[in-house]
């Protein structure tokens, strides 16, 4: 009886997560339409300073120490939403707040279009069995780590320590998205690593955007 109840509870939890996700999507789409169309070429020009961190493989945030997220292949709409949250103070990161504060909505759309490039699609089969702690996450982020809509971040191939850091920030107040805050409250610290490892191994994966210039300001070979 207990096992049956637990299974029923898990199915209900997944269903609730899916309903919450779909409700937030419809609300967000209504609030954001019409949105600014991003111009990737203009975004490339605006992104020179961004690439000082997001264009370097393995680059890490100094303190606390964790990997800077990979953005190539991410949903442009999600990148834009994240930048606005940094700009508006809904995500706590001094450097990102300073960078985003100088950007207009159109600038943000352009930067997002540049970094996203060609977003990953959800046609790949997931690698491995979804671990128990990650099952609720797949309702929005997909079993293969590709966000089910353009407003949900793709996690496939993302640095695992960055995913853990993001979950910790949602849980402890550093990020204020109401859906993720609610979800993160239910996740144990040890389960965050399990979730992060699963999504980080999914393929095809996000990648680090190549810097179009060298540190000397010349065009990089082949770029």
């Amino acid at each position: 009886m207990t096992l049956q109840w637990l299974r029923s509870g898990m199915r209900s939890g997944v269903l609730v997560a899916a309903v919450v996700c779909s409700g937030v999507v419809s609300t967000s789409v209504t609030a954001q339409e019409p949105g600014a169309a991003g111009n990737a070429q203009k975004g490339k020009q605006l992104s020179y300073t961004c690439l000082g961190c997001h264009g370097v493989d393995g680059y890490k945030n100094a303190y606390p120490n964790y990997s800077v997220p990979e953005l190539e292949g991410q949903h442009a709409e999600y990148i834009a939403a994240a930048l606005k949250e940094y700009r508006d103070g809904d995500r706590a990161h001094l450097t990102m707040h300073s960078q985003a504060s100088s950007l207009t909505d159109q600038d943000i759309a352009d930067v997002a279009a540049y970094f996203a490039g060609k977003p990953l699609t959800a046609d790949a089969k997931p690698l491995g069995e979804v671990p128990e702690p990650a099952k609720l996450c797949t309702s929005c982020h997909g079993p293969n780590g590709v966000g089910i809509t353009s407003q949900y971040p793709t996690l496939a191939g993302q640095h695992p320590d960055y995913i853990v850091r993001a979950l910790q920030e949602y849980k402890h107040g550093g990020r204020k998205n109401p859906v993720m805050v609610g979800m993160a409250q239910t996740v144990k610290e040890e389960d965050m690593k399990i979730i992060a490892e699963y999504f980080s191994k999914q393929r095809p994966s996000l990648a680090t955007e190549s810097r179009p210039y060298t540190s000397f300001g010349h065009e990089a070979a082949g770029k």
Side-chain angles (χ1 to χ4, degrees), residues 168-180:
Q168 290 172 337
E169 290 184 1
Y170 283 121
K171 186 168 186 173
H172 301 296
R175 299 187 183 192
K176 300 177 183 178
N177 178 280
V179 174
M180 281 304 301

Side-chain angles (χ1 to χ4, degrees), residues 194-215:
I194 296 174
I195 292 169
E197 287 296 330
Y198 171 75
F199 284 115
S200 71
K201 293 177 181 177
Q202 298 304 308
R203 297 294 182 271
S205 68
L206 298 170
T208 299
E209 185 72 42
S210 298
R211 288 194 290 183
Y213 304 102
T214 68
S215 59

Side-chain angles (χ1 to χ4, degrees), residues 19-196:
V19 171
V20 169
C21 288
S22 63
V24 172
V25 169
S26 62
T27 302
S28 300
V29 168
T30 301
Q32 293 182 18
E33 290 179 349
N39 183 311
Q41 287 303 311
K42 290 183 179 178
K44 180 178 180 179
Q45 296 171 7
L46 291 167
S47 297
Y48 187 80
T49 56
C50 309
L51 291 166
C53 297
H54 293 283
V56 181
D57 278 324
Y59 193 85
K60 289 183 178 290
N61 187 78
Y63 182 83
N65 188 254
Y66 59 89
S67 298
V68 169
E70 296 176 302
L71 299 178
E72 185 177 344
Q74 186 59 266
H75 295 305
E77 189 172 351
Y78 171 73
I79 296 175
L83 281 170
K84 289 176 182 177
E85 289 180 0
Y86 283 118
R87 184 183 65 183
D88 298 341
D90 290 331
R91 292 192 182 198
H93 192 287
L94 182 58
T95 300
M96 285 300 302
H97 173 70
S98 299
Q99 293 288 333
S101 292
S102 65
L103 301 176
T104 65
D105 284 357
Q106 184 61 60
D107 291 339
I108 285 175
D110 294 342
V111 168
Y114 168 66
F115 273 105
K118 184 179 180 181
L120 300 181
T121 57
D123 52 1
K125 292 182 179 180
L127 298 177
E129 185 176 351
V130 180
E132 210 53 45
K135 286 183 177 178
L136 282 178
C137 308
T138 62
S139 299
C140 297
H141 299 286
N144 60 355
V146 177
I148 63 171
T149 81
S150 60
Q151 295 171 323
Y152 296 140
T154 287
L155 303 178
Q158 187 60 271
H159 299 299
D161 60 333
Y162 174 76
I163 296 176
V164 169
R165 178 65 188 180
L167 285 169
Q168 290 172 337
E169 290 184 1
Y170 283 121
K171 186 168 186 173
H172 301 296
R175 299 187 183 192
K176 300 177 183 178
N177 178 280
V179 174
M180 281 304 301
V181 166
M183 290 291 183
Q185 299 308 311
T186 68
V187 182
K188 298 177 182 178
E189 294 287 331
E190 58 267 29
D191 287 341
M192 291 181 182
K193 293 183 179 180
I194 296 174
I195 292 169

